[in-house]
Amino acid sequence: NLINLCKYIFFYKDNEITNNYNLYMTITGVYIFLSLFISTSFLGIFFNSFIIFSKGIQLTLATIFYFTLNEFSMGMFFLGYIPQMLIELILVYVISIISLRLSLNCLTISFITREVFNSRKIINYVLDYVIIILIIVTISMAFKVYAL
């Protein structure tokens, strides 16, 4: 059952690549939404750390599963795997920076300082990074569609 689940999640089915981009967009969208939603509370630091850890585990399992299903070739490694993994790592890095910074900001405003919560500044900060996240996801999808 675990192997069938991994085949469905990581886009590989019986040694053939399936173009299941809707599932990739759903998983990435849920990851982005959960990270940004949880970061609005002071407990978001702990929950976002767990989400970042689980995304790292997902990337590790995808790597293991990718190399066990396909035979190794240098072209596949340098032209297919490395750019895709770099894009995914950049996406995880940017989302983790946003979510942890927002959670830390909420924690310091709630418990440490006596500042007024400036939601306009935080919304502008989030919107700037959401644009960057959307650009990275678009590049990732374009790479998956046109290069792979």
Side-chain angles (χ1 to χ4, degrees), residues 45-113:
I45 295 172
F46 305 111
F47 292 126
N48 278 322
S49 298
F50 176 73
I51 290 173
I52 294 166
F53 174 75
S54 65
K55 186 67 173 178
I57 292 294
Q58 178 191 4
L59 292 176
T60 304
L61 287 175
T63 302
I64 292 169
F65 196 71
Y66 184 78
F67 284 116
T68 56
L69 281 181
N70 300 312
E71 59 187 48
F72 183 77
S73 70
M74 294 302 277
M76 176 197 71
F77 184 72
F78 286 114
L79 299 177
Y81 174 74
I82 294 292
Q84 184 178 0
M85 196 54 63
L86 283 175
I87 291 170
E88 292 294 323
L89 288 174
I90 289 170
L91 182 67
V92 169
Y93 183 72
V94 169
I95 292 172
S96 64
I97 286 175
I98 296 167
S99 59
L100 291 176
R101 181 153 186 242
L102 285 175
S103 297
L104 190 61
N105 192 10
C106 290
L107 179 73
T108 56
I109 288 174
S110 299
F111 296 112
I112 297 173
T113 63

Side-chain angles (χ1 to χ4, degrees), residues 7 17-18 20 23 32 47 63 67 75 126:
K7 285 180 184 179
I17 299 174
T18 59
N20 201 349
L23 183 64
I32 292 168
F47 292 126
T63 302
F67 284 116
V126 169

